[in-house]
Structures are given as C-alpha cells and as structure tokens.
Amino acid sequence: MNGKLIVIEGLDGSGKATQARALAEALQAQGRDVMQITFPDYASDSSALVKMYLGGQFGSHPDDVNAYAASTFYSVDRFASYKMKWGEFYRKGGIVIADRYTTSNAVHQCSKLPPKQWNAFLDWLFDFEYNKIGIPAPDGVIYLEVDPAVSQALMTGRYQGDEAKKDIHEKDTEYLARSQQAARHCAAALGWVTVACCQAGEMRTIQQIHEDVLRATKEILC
Ligand SMILES: Nc1ncnc2c1ncn2[C@@H]1O[C@H](COP(=O)(O)OP(=O)(O)OP(=O)(O)O)[C@@H](O)[C@H]1O
Ligand SMILES: [Mg+2]
C-alpha cells in the first residue's frame, strides 16, 4: 500500500523549506510516519547537471537551455532520490513531504515557452516522470503564492545583501514574473491548492501560512 506524497511548491524564496519543515513537524507530532525530501538533491551526485545549469555553465541566461533539456536534469535527480532515499518508505505507507518536485519544472520551465505551448509541455513532463520514468505522482500540491518583489527581498536578506550569490533564475526578475504566470496557470489547470502568502505587499507570518498549509494537508490526507 503506497503512502502519500505531498508537495510544497512555490517560486524561489517563497518559504517552501520553512513550510515543509513546519508541516513535517506537525504531522510527526500527531504520531504519523513522515519523511522530508528536498529537490534538487544537492547533497547527491545526481544533482550534478542541475548545478552546472544553475551555475551558468550552459549559458548565463535561463533561456540558454530549453525547457525540455533543463527538465531532464531535474528528472534524473528525482529518479535517483526516489530509488535511493524514499521509495521504500513511500511504498510501505509513509507520508513524504517534498520541498519542490516535478511541479517545479512546470513552474520554472513553462516560462521559457509561449503560453500556447504550456499544456503540451506539461503533458510531456508528467507523462515522462510519472509514467515513463515511474516516480510517484503527488497526492496533493500546495502552492505558496508570493508577490515576486517580496520573495526577491527575502532572498537578498538570506544572502546578506550579496546579489552575486543568487543563481541564474534568482537574478532574473523578468523570468521570475513569467514563472509566476506559469505557476498560476498550473495551479488552476492542475488542481493545486493555492495558499496566499502575502498581504498588502508583505509576507504573512510563518505561523499564519502554516495553518493554511495544515488545513490543505488534512484534505489531501483524508
Ligand atoms: N512567512 C515568512 N515571513 C518572513 N520570512 C520568511 C517567511 N517564510 C520564510 N521566510 C524566510 O525567507 C527565506 C526563504 O525561505 P525558504 O528558504 O523557506 O524559501 P524557499 O522557498 O525554500 O527558497 P528557495 O526557493 O530559494 O529554496 C528564509 O530566510 C526564511 O527564513
Ligand atoms: Mg528552498
């Protein structure tokens, strides 16, 4: 009996790691069997191509690597992680909380394509990963929606104001804005649960967002 896979998705710096951790802790406190995973799996060699891509080795602009090629770098990283880290736990009934997943390719790579090609790309992507490669499809996706200007400020704060530490996606504000449009499309088309993380141009508190995430999770798990 397979377990459950819950994905926390959102643009860069939207609070995915923060909310994934809080959710895993809350479920553990309820006595549930929980494993947290995160993508890209930077601790593993399987993220080598992702690191080359984000570091700009194939070009310094996100559009230098097309949506399909870039997606495969992340797909193989997820496959390796499933095989080596969490597949058995999931197949035995555990709850897996993922900070990013295949859904991140949907958000970040659609923005490289004209909107009329998005659905064909999404069909290819989900078929490739969930059917052909054979990693699990999520039981639910929780999309943390933030205003791109707010997430940019959060990331600058995280890097102590050093803009040079941002990767090729994080630096490109126009790319981030297009990614937000793609994310909204995906959320609507694919039934993701949207949690609004900003109010009046500011982040809501971690606890307020957590309560919405927990509510969404209850519906996914029941
Ligand atoms: N609700 C919030 N209010 C204020 N700061 C927050 C909030 N949630 C997260 N942060 C802070 O914002 C930064 C980004 O959060 P986090 O690392 O959880 O985001 P992320 O979506 O995982 O980022 P990335 O996409 O870069 O992996 C961190 O410094 C975190 O402490
Ligand atoms: Mg993160």
Side-chain angles (χ1 to χ4, degrees):
M1 189 209 70
N2 285 338
K4 297 281 185 191
L5 172 59
I6 297 172
V7 174
I8 309 294
E9 194 49 74
L11 296 188
D12 292 335
S14 54
K16 297 178 294 296
T18 306
Q19 291 301 329
R21 196 180 318 117
L23 176 59
E25 282 167 6
L27 295 174
Q28 267 152 4
Q30 293 172 13
R32 294 192 187 244
D33 221 1
V34 181
M35 184 185 285
Q36 237 187 292
I37 57 175
T38 179
F39 296 102
D41 187 0
Y42 287 123
S44 166
D45 291 343
S46 61
S47 65
L49 272 291
V50 170
K51 286 179 187 159
M52 291 173 76
Y53 165 64
L54 289 177
Q57 291 195 45
F58 305 127
S60 59
H61 190 268
D63 287 331
D64 289 336
V65 179
N66 79 51
Y68 291 84
S71 291
T72 63
F73 306 156
Y74 293 90
S75 302
V76 293
D77 179 48
R78 281 186 283 275
F79 177 81
S81 162
Y82 174 68
K83 281 290 196 194
M84 297 171 71
K85 295 192 172 165
W86 54 280
E88 192 179 346
F89 174 82
Y90 168 80
R91 288 190 300 274
K92 285 184 174 160
I95 299 174
V96 177
I97 309 291
D99 167 1
R100 298 184 181 274
Y101 199 58
T102 312
T103 48
S104 286
N105 281 17
V107 171
H108 289 278
Q109 303 303 327
C110 264
S111 59
K112 295 177 178 177
L113 298 165
K116 66 175 192 294
Q117 290 179 26
W118 286 358
N119 285 336
F121 170 72
L122 295 172
D123 288 347
W124 170 83
L125 172 66
F126 295 126
D127 179 58
F128 182 57
E129 296 208 14
Y130 305 153
N131 299 327
K132 303 290 197 304
I133 284 184
I135 62 172
D139 294 280
V141 179
I142 298 170
Y143 170 54
L144 303 178
E145 185 168 64
V146 293
D147 180 345
V150 174
S151 72
Q152 277 287 308
L154 284 178
M155 276 186 293
T156 301
R158 181 172 59 188
Y159 298 135
Q160 279 90 41
D162 185 355
E163 295 285 327
K165 287 197 175 140
K166 293 181 176 177
D167 70 32
I168 62 166
H169 285 177
E170 292 169 347
K171 274 182 197 143
D172 192 328
T173 46
E174 191 202 328
Y175 176 81
L176 270 182
R178 275 190 286 146
S179 294
Q180 190 190 43
Q181 296 242 298
R184 283 195 177 134
H185 170 82
C186 291
L190 304 169
W192 299 352
V193 181
T194 298
V195 170
C197 299
C198 295
Q199 208 165 33
E202 287 191 23
M203 281 300 269
R204 295 165 67 212
T205 68
I206 290 170
Q207 183 59 27
Q208 284 170 336
I209 298 166
H210 171 64
E211 281 161 22
D212 285 356
V213 169
L214 206 50
R215 207 171 300 123
T217 301
K218 276 191 190 132
E219 302 218 341
I220 294 163
L221 292 178
C222 74

